[in-house]
Amino acid sequence: MVTEEEKAAFFTLLKKFSDAIGVSGHEFEIRKLIMEEVNDLADKVWTDRMGNIIALKKGVDENAPKVMFAAHIDEIGLIVSHIDNRGFLRFTGIGGWNERILPGQRVIVMTSKGKIRGVIGMKPPHIMTPEEKKQVLEMSKLFIDIGVSSKEEAEKLGVKVGSVIVFDREVARLGGSDKVTGKAFDDRVGVASLIYMLKLLNKVEHEANVYAVFTVQEEIGLKGARVSAFSINPDVGIAVDVTIANDIAGVDEKDWITQLGKGPAIKIMDRGNISHPKVRELLIRVAEKENIPYQLEVLTGGATDAAAIQLAREGVPVGTVSIPTRYIHSPIEVLDLNDAVNSSKLLAAFAKEITREWVKELNAW
Ligand code: CO
Ligand code: ZN
């Protein structure tokens, strides 16, 4: 059972992180927020050359097993590629975009002088041809209107080629009170989940050294996880990320993948990797022991940081805990707070089970 207090505490974290900006390769704002939050929760916190944040919660001694949890801090975004003479911005995408959802959006442009608002404009339907009404506009045909009338005016506001852009969207609760919507639950819900896990771990004993890693540049190729896993050299790695909940109107039950409100998903596989059988078995055992609802996930597309962690050095057994989310990579992602809180409980309970003995068993075939 997840209490109202737990959901409220998680919502506060999720809102703070999802409203923040951190397009891949430009994770400045979100990194600062996470650093502030994590400093009091771990024994040691540092950043590496790429900008990953690594928070260590020490176990019984230095030689205790190492468990690495990874949640990515970056989000997909847009980036200015050209400013025309009238001050309209052309852009391209960072990460996996669906161009269909872009026209009609309000956006925030991060400039060298701060944040400014813009809109992705388009021709009104009144003057569209019947063909135009049916078309999906390619990103190269779209533009951002920031309300200026010249290139000079845009530049005066600090807009440059290379300025990054995100949706102007804040986290809000939906009518169904435990369902929330926002722009970057992928993967700020994972970030919130790890922070909440650290809070839970502060109340219990654990043998293992727990590394909570907040990774950069996942959306453009799992880059932060790759280098942080190399430096940590963990005995076991767990990625914490959203997964697809396709349990929406008009979709056959066999194509749902996961459902909102049925618990965090323990991943069997996705396109990036197959979870180590003993890792996913332990996740299942722990969920059952602690009465945490869970679902099993087989995903035919997408990958997580686990795929990069798995191939660090001579190899790392990995698994993934996913938070079911509808409409991923859109400004209106939707998830259930119960699943989110339960993901933290599952991770904390899993961390407690990582012992020297279990690692020995893990590596025996
Ligand atoms: Co993503
Ligand atoms: Zn993600």
Side-chain angles (χ1 to χ4, degrees):
M1 258 294 287
V2 176
T3 66
E4 292 304 317
E5 289 70 37
E6 289 171 322
K7 279 182 270 187
F10 199 101
F11 180 77
T12 304
L13 285 174
L14 180 61
K15 179 160 174 56
K16 179 158 132 180
F17 296 140
S18 288
D19 290 351
I21 296 173
V23 176
S24 310
H26 305 76
E27 297 93 346
F28 306 105
E29 185 178 288
I30 180 68
R31 185 184 296 107
K32 206 165 150 252
L33 284 179
I34 296 169
M35 289 292 273
E36 285 165 13
E37 198 69 46
V38 90
N39 263 325
D40 299 334
L41 296 174
D43 298 307
K44 203 178 149 202
V45 178
W46 67 99
T47 51
D48 65 12
R49 281 183 208 155
M50 275 188 85
N52 295 301
I53 302 169
I54 301 157
L56 167 62
K57 233 197 125 281
K58 287 183 180 161
V60 287
D61 59 58
E62 270 176 29
N63 301 318
K66 292 185 274 191
V67 52
M68 168 176 173
F69 295 99
H72 67 91
I73 74 174
D74 62 316
E75 66 187 299
I76 62 166
L78 305 169
I79 186 162
V80 176
S81 56
H82 179 78
I83 308 169
D84 78 14
N85 287 333
R86 294 170 60 215
F88 289 108
L89 314 180
R90 298 295 182 151
F91 58 88
T92 187
I94 294 179
W97 274 96
N98 172 1
E99 286 154 320
R100 244 172 280 251
I101 61 171
L102 286 169
Q105 294 293 343
R106 201 157 84 177
V107 296
I108 294 172
V109 184
M110 294 290 276
T111 80
S112 54
K113 296 181 181 166
K115 299 175 189 176
I116 60 168
R117 285 221 163 76
V119 293
I120 303 179
M122 82 244 97
K123 206 191 243 190
H126 316 66
I127 53 168
M128 280 180 182
T129 63
E131 292 77 58
E132 279 177 329
K133 281 187 186 173
K134 284 186 229 144
Q135 256 170 21
V136 175
L137 286 181
E138 279 168 43
M139 215 179 266
S140 60
K141 301 243 166 61
L142 298 171
F143 59 88
I144 292 170
D145 182 347
I146 54 168
V148 299
S149 44
S150 69
K151 188 174 182 176
E152 290 66 41
E153 218 182 313
E155 284 168 347
K156 225 175 270 168
L157 290 167
V159 183
K160 293 185 175 76
V161 168
S163 297
V164 293
I165 301 149
V166 297
F167 291 126
D168 181 11
R169 206 53 83 100
E170 287 184 0
V171 172
R173 285 173 184 269
L174 291 181
S177 60
D178 292 338
K179 307 289 192 298
V180 294
T181 180
K183 74 163 167 64
F185 289 165
D186 178 10
D187 185 26
R188 306 292 162 68
V189 68
V191 169
S193 177
L194 284 196
I195 301 268
Y196 203 83
M197 173 199 77
L198 288 172
K199 287 181 199 260
L200 295 175
L201 281 180
N202 272 306
K203 296 178 199 151
V204 294
E205 300 284 310
H206 52 90
E207 180 175 331
N209 288 305
V210 178
Y211 293 80
V213 185
F214 302 89
T215 62
V216 296
Q217 300 190 36
E218 188 270 355
E219 296 287 0
I220 55 166
L222 321 177
K223 293 174 194 285
R226 194 175 311 259
V227 300
S228 52
F230 183 92
S231 75
I232 293 166
N233 193 14
D235 293 287
V236 56
I238 301 287
V240 185
D241 207 334
V242 296
T243 193
I244 292 167
N246 200 26
D247 58 335
I248 56 177
V251 176
D252 219 50
E253 193 173 334
K254 71 174 169 43
D255 299 321
W256 286 356
I257 303 160
T258 63
Q259 292 178 73
L260 294 198
K262 300 288 178 183
I266 296 170
K267 196 187 289 280
I268 307 296
M269 64 170 280
D270 58 25
R271 219 169 51 193
N273 75 288
I274 293 167
S275 301
H276 192 295
K278 287 179 187 169
V279 174
R280 71 185 198 223
E281 272 163 29
L282 181 61
L283 284 166
I284 291 168
R285 202 161 3 120
V286 162
E288 284 173 357
K289 193 170 99 185
E290 305 285 327
N291 272 319
I292 300 166
Y294 68 93
Q295 37 195 329
L296 297 176
E297 173 204 348
V298 170
L299 181 63
T300 51
T304 70
D305 277 343
I309 299 168
Q310 184 186 34
L311 295 181
R313 296 188 187 235
E314 59 266 46
V316 179
V318 293
T320 298
V321 170
S322 314
I323 296 99
T325 304
R326 291 179 183 163
Y327 325 121
I328 292 174
H329 286 200
S330 89
I332 50 129
E333 296 175 341
V334 170
L335 60 78
D336 187 310
L337 287 171
N338 293 285
D339 297 337
V341 175
N342 276 325
S343 73
S344 300
K345 291 185 177 180
L346 178 56
L347 297 171
F350 178 84
K352 272 195 305 182
E353 297 291 323
I354 307 306
T355 60
R356 281 186 177 88
E357 220 170 307
W358 182 75
V359 169
K360 213 183 281 167
E361 201 185 300
L362 174 68
N363 293 328
W365 288 100

